[in-house]
Amino acid sequence: MNAAFFETAATALPSLCFEQPPACGLILGSGWSQVLIPDTPLLRLSYADIPGLGASTVVGHAGELLLFERHGIRIAAFLGRRHWYEGAGWGPVVLPVELLRRMGTRNLLITNASGGISPNLKPGDLMVIRDHVNTVGINPLIGPVIPGWGERFPDQSQIYSPALIDLLRKAAYDTEVPLSDGVYAFTSGPGYETPAEIRAYAGMGADAVGMSTVPEATVANAAGLRTAGLSCITNMAAGISGPHLSHEEVLGQTRKTAPVMAALLDAFLARLATSL
């Protein structure tokens, strides 16, 4: 992964993407793309048409870049993501962050579907990410320092922006949507975690677990973007409830929770618009 990789992808984007910096970038995980409410769609581009990104291989990820206007602001949304477990390396995983940086975006909201670890969470709950644990031990900043990604050893004491978290809390108040907060544990996937691993993550202080978000947040923080993370708890993690876990269960729960997800996401964008 090098600067040329990102340059090739950026060159393929229509000039419209760079005419006006989006007020917010979105990277939407499983089930989240379907709840987006765009007022004025300006551009829809398949991931297959963005060099280095490529079509999504996971059910529930639309695989499109959508540029649109809502609440009087411009938003660039990546509908679906690539994952480390797909085997294509870190490039496709963090490419949306770098493209958003090049567009001039200063704010980023990353969403996902995750498994609940904390007994205070249940399927259908929404959780703002306060902090994270990278259980994998590797990250996309390994290798040459990419121009625009800051210094060699970026500070990570506050990856998730208190200002954006405050807007999410205000959006939850506006919509009367219950919103928890917690620590998110990142695992490589694609296998779900074992009960013993979940007990270990709980001991580390993790409240939820998933296979995404942390790589993107790590790069966004290094690149100077204000970042927030939002999880939909779709199931309880291994060993807590249920005989087995499945991706179908994840998608089924996001469909049930879709109205609440849509309300909170749209209220967040409205709050962001008034804060600028």
Side-chain angles (χ1 to χ4, degrees):
M1 188 169 62
N2 52 48
F5 172 86
F6 298 115
E7 186 66 30
T8 299
T11 301
L13 296 184
S15 60
L16 179 64
C17 293
F18 304 98
E19 289 179 357
Q20 176 182 327
C24 186
L26 303 173
I27 300 176
L28 302 177
S30 295
W32 283 94
S33 299
Q34 291 72 30
V35 306
L36 198 61
I37 305 173
D39 263 354
T40 308
L42 304 172
L43 171 72
R44 193 179 291 271
L45 186 66
S46 171
Y47 285 3
D49 295 327
I50 303 176
L53 190 54
S56 176
T57 67
V58 181
V59 175
H61 291 254
E64 291 181 324
L65 167 60
L66 177 64
L67 190 67
F68 67 100
E69 292 183 354
R70 178 71 172 165
H71 301 298
I73 58 174
R74 182 164 294 192
I75 300 156
F78 284 86
L79 311 183
R81 60 160 50 88
R82 302 299 303 276
H83 302 78
W84 171 252
Y85 62 71
E86 294 175 71
W90 285 122
V93 177
V94 302
L95 181 53
V97 176
E98 174 61 6
L99 292 178
L100 289 169
R101 186 191 72 82
R102 289 177 179 237
M103 290 182 205
T105 308
R106 303 310 307 161
N107 300 293
L108 172 63
L109 176 63
I110 309 173
T111 68
N112 63 48
S114 62
I117 296 177
S118 168
N120 296 321
L121 295 171
K122 64 182 184 304
D125 285 354
L126 299 182
M127 184 192 85
V128 63
I129 299 175
R130 184 176 68 249
D131 202 351
H132 71 234
V133 177
N134 182 350
T135 73
V136 179
I138 57 174
N139 72 65
L141 297 179
I142 295 172
V145 177
I146 302 297
W149 288 12
E151 59 190 29
R152 170 80 283 184
F153 304 107
D155 175 48
Q156 296 193 120
S157 58
Q158 199 170 73
I159 287 183
Y160 300 95
S161 163
L164 293 187
I165 290 174
D166 182 60
L167 291 181
L168 282 167
R169 294 193 183 284
K170 289 176 178 176
Y173 176 82
D174 294 341
T175 54
E176 299 183 347
V177 171
L179 183 63
S180 302
D181 70 68
V183 175
Y184 175 87
F186 166 61
T187 65
S188 66
Y192 288 107
E193 306 75 30
T194 68
E197 287 169 338
I198 293 302
R199 291 193 296 273
Y201 302 156
M204 294 178 185
D207 298 288
V209 62
M211 305 171 192
S212 68
T213 302
V214 167
E216 298 103 304
T218 299
V219 170
N221 173 71
L225 276 67
R226 292 201 308 175
T227 303
L230 185 60
S231 291
C232 175
I233 307 300
T234 56
N235 56 274
M236 299 311 292
I240 298 176
S241 68
H244 64 276
L245 302 175
S246 72
H247 191 56
E248 291 74 18
E249 180 183 14
V250 170
L251 296 179
Q253 184 60 60
T254 57
R255 285 192 291 269
K256 293 178 184 177
T257 315
V260 176
M261 296 159 65
L264 182 61
L265 180 56
D266 195 54
F268 167 77
L269 295 176
R271 279 283 184 174
L272 179 64
T274 60
S275 73
L276 298 176

